[in-house]
Amino acid sequence: MADSVPVRCPTCRRENAFTPPTFPCACGAPLTLPVLRGGVPVEIHHRTWQASWVEVRCDVCGRQDEWPAPESGCACGTVVRVPVAPAPTQPPPNFPSFGPAAPKPAPAPAAETPRAVLRPAFRPVTIRTARDCVTAAEQYLKWLGYADVARTQERTASGVDLRGTGVVAQVDPTTRATPLREIECVWLNGLNDSAIAVFFSLAGYARDARSRADELHLPLFVMDLTGTPQPVNDPADELIKYGAAGR
């Protein structure tokens, strides 16, 4: 667990202990947000999607991604955004170095490549209603190997329609392209559950939503009225190839 840091409330001046959150990087290493010690917290009066994300570089693989900005609540009711140390800039590939060269690290052991899964042909569910869309997505996830996936009792504010061991999914049965916000919402739900997040859409995806899903390695599927989901991006192709066992 990360060490806690003191955060002073700008309203009541009370000092609160805050533990920076830790997220799993795409490389598998735990990534703790580098809270800036001595930084000045900023009170949150209203939220925006842009301000709710910070860029942090993984110390293990060097990958730089956006993560939910850390927030801390005070007993007086004030909620502040805790500042994060900016991601260090990397020199260009041919940047000259001076002094003795650092020794090359030993190569990491190669990860075992998952095997493609052989399965019978998927039996689609004809889509006539919005409920049929969810049923088709549920049957498809079971076909991929998530045997216990089931419809949520009540659609939550975040929009999760299906949940199972190691997976959460959202289904958009509307006739408009799925927007960016819904992609990020289901990804956060997957992050909170330590599960893969999957999205199914009847009308496809907005350009920025598709781009963001690729960055987050989130599988996207589009469904036609026959009820057969089709992969939209590379993560979806990988999910079809390897199934639940390869995640």
Side-chain angles (χ1 to χ4, degrees):
M1 180 179 292
D3 295 333
S4 61
V5 296
V7 174
R8 187 175 297 279
C9 174
T11 303
C12 69
R13 312 304 297 172
R14 181 184 286 110
E15 195 172 80
N16 301 295
F18 174 73
T19 302
T22 299
F23 300 106
C25 177
C27 71
L31 184 147
T32 300
L33 297 190
V35 171
L36 188 62
R37 289 182 177 271
V40 179
V42 179
E43 183 177 357
I44 300 175
H45 296 286
H46 65 277
R47 299 179 185 276
T48 64
W49 275 98
Q50 184 175 3
S52 298
W53 299 86
V54 292
E55 285 194 356
V56 177
R57 189 184 304 279
C58 176
D59 291 334
V60 176
C61 68
R63 180 189 179 99
Q64 184 168 316
D65 274 330
E66 290 186 335
W67 301 96
E71 298 177 1
S72 175
C74 181
C76 71
T78 300
V79 179
V80 298
R81 186 169 290 115
V82 183
V84 170
T89 56
Q90 289 186 333
N94 296 324
F95 190 81
S97 60
F98 302 93
K104 294 183 179 181
E112 183 179 352
T113 304
R115 296 181 179 179
V117 177
L118 298 178
R119 60 176 73 89
F122 174 67
R123 295 183 179 180
V125 177
T126 303
I127 296 176
R128 298 183 179 87
T129 65
R131 188 175 182 84
D132 291 337
C133 285
V134 180
T135 300
E138 178 184 356
Q139 294 303 315
Y140 194 75
L141 288 174
K142 289 181 177 179
W143 179 71
L144 290 174
Y146 297 99
D148 64 346
V149 70
R151 192 185 307 249
T152 55
Q153 293 296 323
E154 182 177 348
R155 201 172 197 263
T156 61
S158 59
V160 173
D161 295 290
L162 299 166
R163 194 182 300 272
T165 302
V167 67
V168 297
Q170 183 172 340
V171 182
D172 184 359
T174 66
T175 54
R176 56 154 175 77
T178 299
L180 170 65
R181 182 180 183 277
E182 296 196 25
I183 297 298
E184 291 180 330
C185 279
V186 75
W187 176 75
L188 284 173
N189 275 281
L191 199 64
N192 289 336
D193 287 6
S194 298
I196 180 178
V198 185
F199 208 106
F200 297 87
S201 177
L202 192 62
Y205 302 88
R207 186 186 299 272
D208 56 352
R210 165 71 185 275
S211 176
R212 185 64 173 147
D214 289 343
E215 293 174 2
L216 299 173
H217 206 72
L218 190 150
L220 299 180
F221 292 90
V222 66
M223 295 192 290
D224 56 27
L225 296 182
T226 67
T228 304
Q230 298 295 334
V232 172
N233 58 359
D234 290 342
D237 286 329
E238 292 176 12
L239 185 59
I240 294 173
K241 185 175 182 180
Y242 301 117
R247 307 303 298 186

